[in-house]
Amino acid sequence: MPLRLRDLAAHLKAHGIEVHDPKRGSHFRCTKDGFPAYQLPAHNAMKSELSDVYVRGVCRHFKIPMP
Amino acid sequence: MSIEHHVNVMNRRSFKLSALIYRAPDVDGQWIAHCAELDVISVGESPEHAASMICEAAALCIIDDLRDGLEPEDRGPNDEVDAAIRLVRKRGTRLSSMAEAVQHQELVTIAIEWLACVIDLAPELNSPCDDFELERAFAAPAQQALVPV
C-alpha cells in the first residue's frame, strides 16, 4: 500500500531510525547504527506519496516490518 | 608525474551502476527507479526524472558509505532487479537518450547504465552527481520484463 512520506518517516523513527533533512539534492537521509545510510526521495517534501515498492525497499534495508 | 597528480589518480574511484525504471504499480504518475548494484530505490515523475533521482540517490549512498568506512558494493546486488535489467537489455531497444523513452512511455520498462565517479579519501568528497554520465539505455514493453513488484 502506498504511504505518505511523513507516515513512512514516522514508521522509521518508531524503529529507531533517524531521518535527516536533505543537505543537498532531493533526498532525506536515514541512518541507524549498524546499517549503511539510506536515501528517501523528497522532491515533494513530506506530502510525497511513495509506492509500496519503495516502502518495501527501505524496510528490507533496515530489516524492519512493513507499516 | 607530479605527486599531486599521482594522489588524484590513486584516490579516484568509479562505480559502474545500472537501474531498472518502471511505472509504479500503485501510485499514478510515479516512476520507480531501482539500482541493482546498491539495492537502492528512488522515484520520479517521469522516466527521465526517475533516472536523475536514482543517480543522485546512488551517489549519496556511495558518499555516505565512503565517509563511514564502508564499501558501497557490499549493499547489493539485488539479483531480481539485475535479472530484469539483463532481460530488458536483451529484448529491448537501445535508446539514444532518456528523452527518447519519454516519447513512448505508456508501457515501457527502461534499463539504464551509468558511471558514477567519486574522489575517495579526499577531505571533502566530491559529489559524483555532478559528473554522472549515462552510458547506455534500453527500453522494452513492460510485459516483457520481469518487473519485481
Side-chain angles (χ1 to χ4, degrees):
Chain A
M1 190 176 71
L3 272 188
R4 295 277 177 204
L5 180 55
R6 77 162 70 83
D7 297 327
L8 177 59
H11 179 69
L12 296 174
K13 286 175 184 173
H15 286 84
I17 297 158
E18 291 183 55
V19 180
H20 310 271
D21 287 343
K23 282 186 182 167
R24 63 174 294 181
S26 308
H27 288 83
F28 289 89
R29 182 170 168 265
C30 302
T31 58
K32 185 179 184 182
D33 284 348
F35 293 88
Y38 202 83
Q39 311 298 326
L40 287 182
H43 46 279
N44 287 327
M46 285 292 177
K47 290 185 295 184
S48 305
E49 191 172 29
L50 294 170
S51 168
D52 184 63
V53 177
Y54 184 85
V55 176
R56 278 191 280 121
V58 66
C59 290
R60 185 173 66 239
H61 177 80
F62 286 113
K63 297 182 171 35
I64 62 172
M66 287 283 285
Chain B
M1 179 187 295
S2 71
I3 292 173
E4 187 180 1
H5 179 64
H6 179 69
V7 169
N8 282 343
V9 170
M10 291 299 288
N11 283 348
R12 188 170 184 85
R13 291 190 61 185
S14 299
F15 297 84
K16 190 169 182 181
L17 302 174
S18 57
L20 188 71
I21 299 173
Y22 55 97
R23 195 181 283 281
D26 50 359
V27 180
D28 280 349
Q30 192 171 97
W31 289 76
I32 304 283
H34 197 153
C35 174
E37 291 79 4
L38 301 177
D39 196 14
V40 65
I41 303 171
S42 195
V43 299
E45 291 161 1
S46 67
E48 212 165 12
H49 186 215
S52 165
M53 291 293 284
I54 194 62
C55 291
E56 180 185 299
L60 293 169
C61 286
I62 292 170
I63 291 172
D64 273 331
D65 286 355
L66 295 177
R67 281 191 179 138
D68 294 342
L70 301 173
E71 183 51 56
E73 285 156 355
D74 290 346
R75 287 173 178 258
N78 182 311
D79 293 332
E80 203 178 355
V81 173
D82 188 53
I85 288 171
R86 277 190 267 114
L87 196 59
V88 173
R89 245 193 248 133
K90 184 178 171 186
R91 296 185 182 172
T93 304
R94 186 157 180 182
L95 303 174
S96 58
S97 68
M98 284 303 293
E100 193 180 332
V102 176
Q103 291 168 8
H104 45 94
Q105 60 178 269
E106 297 78 23
L107 290 172
V108 82
T109 300
I110 298 160
I112 61 169
E113 298 170 7
W114 77 100
L115 193 65
C117 299
V118 66
I119 307 297
D120 194 5
L121 305 175
E124 274 299 322
L125 290 170
N126 287 357
S127 166
C129 309
D130 298 334
D131 60 358
F132 121 81
E133 186 178 334
L134 187 66
E135 290 203 324
R136 293 191 294 180
F138 299 85
Q143 64 270 24
Q144 284 186 7
L146 302 173
V147 172
V149 177

